[in-house]
Amino acid sequence: MFTTRPTLQGTFGMASTTHWLASQSAMAVLEDGGNACDAAVAAGFVLHVVEPHLNGPAGEVPVIVAPAGGPVRVLCGQGPAPAGASVAHYTSLGLDLVPGTGPLAAAVPGAFDAWMLLLLRDHGSKSLAEVLRYAIGYAEHGHPAVERIGETVETVRALFETEWTSSAEIYLPGGRSVAPGGLLRNRPLAATWRRLLAEAEAESAGREAQIEAARRIWREGFIGEALADYAARPAMDTSGERHAGTLTGDDLAAYSATYEEPVTHDWNGWTVAKAGGWSQGPAFLQQLALLQDELPAYGSAEYVHLLIEGGKLAMADREAWYGDADEVPLDALLGNAYNTARRALVGERASYELRPGSPHGRTPRLSKHAVAAAAGVDDSDARGISGSGAGEPTVARGVAAPAPARGVPAEVAPEIDRNGATRGDTCHIDVVDRWGNLVSATPSGGWLQSNPVVPALGFPLGTRLQMAWLEEGLPNSLTPGRRPRTTLSPSLALRDGVPVMAFGTPGGDQQDQWQVHFFLAVALRGAVRGGLDLQGAVDAPNWHHDSFPGSFFPRTMRPGSVTVESRIGGGVIDGLRRRGHLVTLGEAWSEGRLCAVARDAETGVLSAAANPRGMQGYAVGR
């Protein structure tokens, strides 16, 4: 089978991330004697530097970790809504949705503390200085910028120049955005990490004590003080007005990342582990639960139709039942009786309805906005916002649409609407080491285009609160102290109870569509060199649908829509259209941005693969 790259195999260690510099930094840590957790943390901090349009230190990161010989655990680095972030406060400002940018959309930052716990609690072995040195080096001395950084900055140029001037100082030096391959530096960020290390090392010579000191400095020291100060400053957001945020020093001081049990589902000899109902992760498991043992021929129109329709049912349940503001009935949602009844709803024709189920006989609860979107009512034009579809975050408003970045052809420039809105994204990291430790992490948020850069720190706040509804009584209502439902969704798979594969992808609402397709490609197709054909599954044609309210502002829905890679084949495309799907042909390599690593439990052989789409993700190993 043709693939763009080989599935890497070896016995020492493997890392796969969405940027080659992060992958190689992870590998450098493994070569220096670190384990998979040390390597993942180093890669995570490098991604903050080299993919600042996709994630940042004040964002969030859910992690699934399988320590060698230990239980699989979920590390939740998704911060909650601040104490002042109530529905009443936001609606009193005349808002019906949480803005997609600006301080009002900032949850308590969760990523930093999660990285510290992954490094500290019986998982890591390296010092904080040893894992941060790669990120510090790239921030201080520069890294060759990928195309999308400059393109993204150009879409928000007017905003940076007139409103978010602290961001312009880093990303528009001398009034110019960085050209593809040009060196991009973030010396304020490098100075932040150097000061953090100096203060932590001044407190103690011990590794764990220094990491605990770093956690305190983030929450209550110079970093926490700067974050709280900037959150209180009004800034322009997607509402077209300037608002101050609700995040305070008390919110930062009270937060700690937490470990919890994963949610799992068994399918054809596999067990897949995901984060809980505060994420969209269980929607992956529901899609598996809806499948019968015998499936149509892999890759056929019937196969793709079946997965699309099952995905619609799972995402409808996500909309009605998932969130941190109420208990999620996952036992019923993943149960055989429930999914047998749901499976019967899948017909020969594409459904255009949003059809949540009734686990335990309970009545599903949908927001008014979701009901309107499902009914085809789109008031986005009336409200002056983009209605360009579900999936990934909107990042700017109220500025004229600029020309593409210098040297970037118009046909490959990022999506820009009349308000200057573009789309953001996410990162991913998978690492496996020679001892059998596996880590899967999906860092996101805190994008350069999400909030003004805090000048004393070199990075902005995040915007994850935009995923919560401004309506009381819903599982995902904006609630102080509760996590907004996140799209971030790392995955880990086991065979016979033994962890064997870690994988994930950027992509917002599309993450648990693309990952299901990848997983089934691994599970249903042949092996390569005696191991899992990871690269073949990554390279396989992919697709997504938008038949549900999106998680990101302006939270639109496109009933019946399906976007497929053009290379999926004319027979499949025609077959989908005959079944009533509204098919959009994407570019040949445009759907899915997966990373994956694996370990053969019998031989100890390690494998890795990475997404060729975007020419950015890479796997390394030996």
Side-chain angles (χ1 to χ4, degrees), residues 161-234:
E161 290 178 335
T162 61
E163 297 283 346
W164 297 4
T165 55
S166 59
S167 300
E169 292 176 8
I170 292 176
Y171 295 107
L172 286 170
R176 298 174 61 88
S177 59
V178 62
L183 280 183
L184 176 62
R185 297 178 176 85
N186 189 340
R187 291 192 173 105
L189 177 58
T192 294
W193 296 145
R194 288 193 182 282
R195 180 178 173 184
L196 174 78
L197 288 174
E199 292 188 10
E201 290 169 354
E203 287 198 24
S204 173
R207 188 187 79 92
E208 294 188 7
Q210 287 178 5
I211 295 170
E212 286 290 2
R215 296 177 69 198
R216 289 193 300 273
I217 294 165
W218 176 274
R219 292 190 299 241
E220 303 173 50
F222 78 95
I223 295 177
E225 291 173 356
L227 290 173
D229 174 70
Y230 231 67
R233 301 186 184 190

Side-chain angles (χ1 to χ4, degrees), residues 51-96:
E51 294 187 330
H53 57 311
L54 306 180
N55 78 136
E60 43 277 327
V61 59
V63 182
I64 302 183
V65 56
V72 176
R73 303 293 300 278
V74 170
L75 173 55
C76 176
Q78 172 58 66
S86 66
V87 169
H89 174 66
Y90 285 65
T91 56
S92 73
L93 299 173
L95 300 171
D96 59 353

Side-chain angles (χ1 to χ4, degrees), residues 365-388:
R365 294 170 292 171
L366 294 171
S367 70
K368 295 176 183 177
H369 186 93
V371 171
V377 178
D378 182 4
D379 64 347
S380 59
D381 284 342
R383 291 189 286 142
I385 58 180
S386 167
S388 54

